[in-house]
Amino acid sequence: MRTTKWNVFILTSTLALTLLGARGAAAPEPGQQSQNEQAAKKEAAADTSIYRVSYRVNELENGKTINSRSYTMTANIDSLAQARIGSRVPYSTGKDIQYQDVGMSIDCTLREQEGKLQVHTVLDMTTVASKETTSPLEGQPVFGHMRLMDTTSATLRKPTFVGSVDDVASNRHYEIVVTVTEAK
């Protein structure tokens, strides 16, 4: 009988300590956060490093805007975001058919440096040149190519100049602007 009372006492004490320990873990002291709250805050902080990056490429001829294109993607801090838009144009080499990628290719990496947002851009644009541009090979297309690599310090929600490029084969001029906003 004495052993039974002792076993009941040990079992009751163990159960009480277990419940008190569980209650203490569930209810943090004032000024402290539970592990779930800390994890939620870290996840929310991670979400703030996701941005919407919008590029605008303005094409000008003789100082007048003749075309404007927009490209938008989401990007994380310190991760590469890419956009590839275009088509493949066939051309003959005389022996076989080859293909040239024509269109826009944008690589973007965002970084935070000294409290500022840095946008590293690699922008490649390949076009089929206008009919005025002639190929030394009759009937073959002439391809134009423009490449811009730049790192720009951006202010959120404000258009930021990335660069400008003249087309050496025409009177065309390209201006590139980027706008970075928080993704929601």
Side-chain angles (χ1 to χ4, degrees):
M1 177 104 153
R2 192 173 211 208
T3 319
T4 306
K5 286 182 181 180
W6 185 250
N7 286 341
V8 170
F9 174 73
I10 291 175
L11 184 60
T12 307
S13 299
T14 305
L15 184 58
L17 289 173
T18 303
L19 289 173
L20 285 174
R23 179 182 275 167
E29 293 179 26
Q32 291 185 341
Q33 298 172 335
S34 71
Q35 289 179 346
N36 289 343
E37 289 173 339
Q38 289 174 354
K41 282 192 175 185
K42 283 183 183 177
E43 188 174 314
D47 288 345
T48 61
S49 66
I50 300 172
Y51 296 92
R52 177 173 285 117
V53 183
S54 299
Y55 287 91
R56 178 169 297 282
V57 179
N58 297 315
E59 183 177 358
L60 296 92
E61 188 168 32
N62 298 322
K64 182 179 178 183
T65 301
I66 59 171
N67 198 353
S68 185
R69 293 185 178 91
S70 296
Y71 307 93
T72 301
M73 63 186 96
T74 57
N76 294 319
I77 296 293
D78 295 326
S79 295
L80 177 65
Q82 297 179 315
R84 305 284 186 266
I85 303 96
S87 57
R88 300 190 62 142
V89 175
Y91 64 95
S92 174
T93 63
K95 295 182 181 179
D96 59 356
I97 302 293
Q98 295 289 322
Y99 292 87
Q100 172 68 42
D101 289 331
V102 173
M104 184 66 72
S105 171
I106 302 172
D107 293 348
C108 169
T109 305
L110 299 178
R111 291 200 168 83
E112 289 179 330
Q113 188 173 16
E114 299 175 7
K116 293 185 179 182
L117 190 62
Q118 302 290 318
V119 182
H120 177 72
T121 302
V122 178
L123 187 136
D124 275 298
M125 184 174 72
T126 303
T127 61
V128 176
S130 65
K131 299 198 184 288
E132 295 89 38
T133 308
T134 58
S135 169
L137 303 172
E138 187 63 37
Q140 296 298 315
V142 175
F143 299 103
H145 183 251
M146 183 258 306
R147 180 178 176 98
L148 177 76
M149 289 179 61
D150 183 70
T151 300
T152 304
S153 183
T155 301
L156 288 178
R157 297 176 295 282
K158 293 190 178 185
T160 303
F161 178 77
V162 175
S164 65
V165 180
D166 285 330
D167 183 348
V168 296
S170 70
N171 292 334
R172 294 195 176 162
H173 176 81
Y174 299 92
E175 292 179 351
I176 298 94
V177 175
V178 66
T179 304
V180 181
T181 57
E182 300 93 344
K184 296 186 181 192

